[in-house]
């Protein structure tokens, strides 16, 4: 099957470069966090006591693989870019929602350790919500990328020609 590919718009090029940057940044972050965890025995025990954390890490790596595949498909202006971006959006949504209970648990634990009205507690709570707001922005960006990939890679259907009125009508 021969699929014709339209010319790549500048925004599609920017999205491909952004996705590559996100993957490089994510991989470096994963490596540095693993290095930190392996060098700190207390953190390692805490980290490995939560199986959800390792599942989220695996899903994070899957998200990076989807990002690379989606960027390549969008670069080549293939229709599969939409499916890959949509899958990445759904995965990001699931990951962000699955982290919310853990954030709440950490906030409640820290709240119990600090006196009421503590400025450190207020800063920690604000930090959790800022992280969640940033996560929501990235999930929304993935939704936009999926919509945009659908818009620019879907086949263009030209409307049927208008019939000329019959003579004498």
């Amino acid at each position: 099957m021969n699929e014709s590919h339209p010319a790549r718009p500048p925004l599609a090029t920017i999205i491909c470069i952004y996705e590559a940057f996100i993957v490089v940044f994510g991989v470096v972050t994963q490596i540095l966090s693993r290095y930190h965890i392996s060098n700190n025995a207390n953190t390692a025990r805490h980290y490995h006591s939560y199986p959800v954390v390792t599942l989220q890490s695996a899903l994070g790596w899957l998200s990076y693989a989807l990002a690379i595949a989606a960027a390549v498909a969008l670069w080549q202006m293939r229709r599969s870019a939409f499916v890959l971006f949509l899958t990445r959006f759904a995965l990001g949504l699931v990951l962000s929602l699955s982290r919310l209970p853990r954030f709440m648990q950490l906030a409640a634990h820290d709240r119990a350790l600090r006196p009421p009205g503590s400025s450190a507690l207020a800063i920690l709570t604000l930090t959790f919500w800022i992280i969640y707001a940033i996560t929501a922005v990235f999930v929304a960006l993935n939704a936009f990328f999926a919509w945009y990939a659908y818009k620019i890679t879907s086949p263009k259907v030209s409307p049927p020609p208008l019939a000329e009125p019959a003579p004498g009508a």
Side-chain angles (χ1 to χ4, degrees):
M1 179 155 79
N2 203 358
E3 186 178 343
S4 68
H5 303 290
R8 184 177 48 261
L11 182 57
T13 303
I14 291 169
I15 290 172
C16 292
I17 293 168
Y18 167 82
E19 289 293 321
F21 171 77
I22 286 296
V23 169
V24 169
F25 179 76
V27 168
V28 168
T29 302
Q30 287 278 346
I31 290 170
L32 290 177
S33 67
R34 292 286 180 172
Y35 176 76
H36 171 71
I37 289 169
S38 67
N39 286 339
N40 186 336
N42 289 333
T43 305
R45 271 194 307 277
H46 177 75
Y47 182 82
H48 294 297
S49 66
Y50 295 102
V52 166
V53 174
T54 55
L55 175 63
Q56 287 176 346
S57 178
L59 292 176
W61 286 104
L62 176 61
S63 178
Y64 300 146
L66 285 169
I68 290 293
V72 169
L74 186 61
W75 186 266
Q76 296 174 349
M77 297 298 291
R78 299 211 180 263
R79 289 185 208 139
S80 60
F82 164 69
V83 174
L84 292 166
F85 277 117
L86 188 64
T87 305
R88 188 155 185 258
F89 161 72
L91 183 62
L93 188 61
V94 167
L95 276 172
S96 63
L97 291 176
S98 71
R99 288 180 180 139
L100 188 58
R102 181 75 181 127
F103 276 156
M104 294 301 165
Q105 180 184 14
L106 287 173
H109 179 266
D110 204 60
R111 197 174 305 119
L113 296 176
R114 299 188 190 280
S118 165
S119 62
L121 178 60
I123 290 170
L124 182 67
T125 303
L126 180 64
T127 302
F128 281 146
W129 287 112
I130 287 173
I131 289 170
Y132 234 78
I134 291 170
T135 301
V137 167
F138 282 114
V139 170
L141 262 177
N142 285 331
F144 169 74
F145 293 164
W147 169 81
Y148 185 73
Y150 176 78
K151 181 182 167 199
I152 66 171
T153 61
S154 61
K156 307 299 182 246
V157 178
S158 57
L162 295 175
E164 292 187 23

